[in-house]
Amino acid sequence: NARHSGVAQFIELLTVECRMDGLQLRGTSHVGPFELQSSLVGQFNADNLLLVLGLLLSSGLVQSEALQRLSTTPAPPGRWDR
């Protein structure tokens, strides 16, 4: 949890599905529930996506925009290529 302008900010991950075609994250934040689908694979990428979502929200980006951007984030070239 963090505080910004007197309002508690948080992200809580409720479920993670790690599939061959990517990740599906469901959770809630201080601005409401969210669902994020990503072509990234692996639990470590679920952790990374959640961290970046928190950073984007704390910087003032609207949650729907942050989720849209994260859903199209590609893996670094050469890593986990399919």
Side-chain angles (χ1 to χ4, degrees):
N1 289 348
R3 290 209 174 264
H4 182 69
S5 302
V7 177
Q9 295 184 348
F10 68 93
I11 293 182
E12 180 181 7
L13 185 60
L14 301 175
T15 63
V16 177
E17 290 182 40
C18 297
R19 303 181 305 231
M20 293 299 292
D21 64 341
L23 297 165
Q24 182 170 355
L25 286 67
R26 289 188 182 97
T28 188
S29 75
H30 60 282
V31 294
F34 67 85
E35 185 173 313
L36 172 59
Q37 295 197 16
S38 171
S39 63
L40 300 176
V41 295
Q43 180 63 47
F44 65 97
N45 276 319
D47 296 339
N48 292 340
L49 287 166
L50 198 63
L51 174 66
V52 174
L53 177 59
L55 292 170
L56 292 173
L57 294 178
S58 70
S59 71
L61 194 63
V62 175
Q63 181 167 279
S64 59
E65 178 68 20
L67 292 169
Q68 191 281 324
R69 291 182 185 190
L70 289 174
S71 71
T72 60
T73 300
R79 298 197 49 187
W80 293 85
D81 284 342
R82 294 180 205 186

